[in-house]
Amino acid sequence: MSVSTSPTVVLPPLDAQAERLISLGLIADPDALRAEASRLATVTPEGSLLVPHERVLPASKLAHLMRLPAPGRAGAAGEVREGFVVEDMTNVDDFRPTAHAVLPDADVYVVADPTRGDEMRNWSPAEALPAMTGAGRTPLTLVEGIHWALQTPGIIEANACFMTIGSRKTKPNGDLDTRTPALWISSGTGRDGRERKGAPKVGWCWWGNRHTWFGFASAEGRTGA
């Protein structure tokens, strides 16, 4: 079966993605990023995602830069909601790439054909991973998912969000934490706070649970140096 369904959200060219990251104040050496984006554009297909390695830009430095229009007020002076990490995920940077999501040893790399995996909504992560890898795809990491949202905010939609099961936390005994990171939209309830209603958020779900609004983001592969 196919596991690559995604909404029609077109990523800009890699050089435009580099300029987006530079404009957000994330890049210490803009010229180096521009040069690397230009080089990678010659060896990767269109529609790829430019990603600085998470050792350079971890999730904790990226999540607050995500933006979505305030609910019901898209035309009200451009009011937007800022991204955030849920309060009980203070260890967000401890969720690191798994053996199913090996990153290139490069400060900047590209992810080919990122897709949201809508057809796997109401699957558990435990069910989605073997289907994904069996189709020759690799799960997106949390940092890759955030970069996708930074470049194409519309990829996070109400009732159609995604998990990034390429990132897991390892316990001291070597077992994997049963939480899996995900990106979705806050309802403004509980500890999120009413002022965050409609904001893009980084949170988590249990490995064995199903949710009707979560797909499973995956990619064809990664290319670096």
Side-chain angles (χ1 to χ4, degrees):
M1 74 179 286
S2 170
V3 293
S4 60
T5 298
S6 189
T8 305
V9 178
V10 179
L11 277 160
L14 295 187
D15 59 349
Q17 293 182 47
E19 294 303 325
R20 167 71 171 150
L21 297 177
I22 292 166
S23 73
L24 291 171
L26 292 170
I27 306 303
D29 189 342
D31 288 340
L33 180 65
R34 291 182 178 112
E36 190 62 6
S38 295
R39 185 190 70 81
L40 288 167
T42 67
V43 296
T44 54
E46 292 184 7
S48 294
L49 174 68
L50 186 70
V51 181
H53 197 288
E54 58 188 60
R55 68 187 174 216
V56 178
L57 288 174
S60 60
K61 293 187 179 299
L62 297 170
H64 73 283
L65 295 170
M66 295 187 294
R67 297 288 187 275
L68 283 176
R73 299 181 60 82
E79 186 179 348
V80 297
R81 294 286 187 263
E82 180 180 303
F84 68 100
V85 180
V86 295
E87 289 189 9
D88 59 353
M89 204 175 179
T90 56
N91 57 355
V92 64
D93 291 335
D94 290 341
F95 288 78
R96 294 172 181 157
T98 70
H100 299 288
V102 178
L103 306 188
D105 186 17
D107 286 346
V108 182
Y109 64 95
V110 294
V111 173
D113 188 32
T115 54
R116 201 169 65 185
D118 287 359
E119 72 284 4
M120 290 188 285
R121 280 185 286 181
N122 209 32
W123 291 27
S124 71
E127 294 165 331
L129 181 61
M132 188 185 297
T133 57
R137 295 181 65 82
T138 176
L140 253 61
T141 67
L142 174 58
V143 165
E144 291 166 351
I146 295 174
H147 274 289
W148 196 14
L150 290 176
Q151 298 291 350
T152 54
I155 202 66
I156 302 178
E157 296 182 284
N159 301 315
C161 304
F162 58 92
M163 294 193 196
T164 53
I165 61 174
S167 295
R168 302 286 301 278
K169 182 180 183 296
T170 303
K171 297 179 179 180
N173 66 1
D175 292 341
L176 290 174
D177 192 301
T178 52
R179 294 175 296 168
T180 55
L183 296 172
W184 75 99
I185 299 175
S186 174
S187 61
T189 58
R191 287 181 292 179
D192 286 0
R194 197 180 316 175
E195 70 280 2
R196 283 174 165 165
K197 183 176 182 180
K201 67 188 270 188
V202 173
W204 59 270
C205 300
W206 298 117
W207 179 254
N209 285 8
R210 298 172 177 170
H211 298 278
T212 58
W213 63 92
F214 281 132
F216 292 85
S218 69
E220 183 179 293
R222 299 173 179 84
T223 302

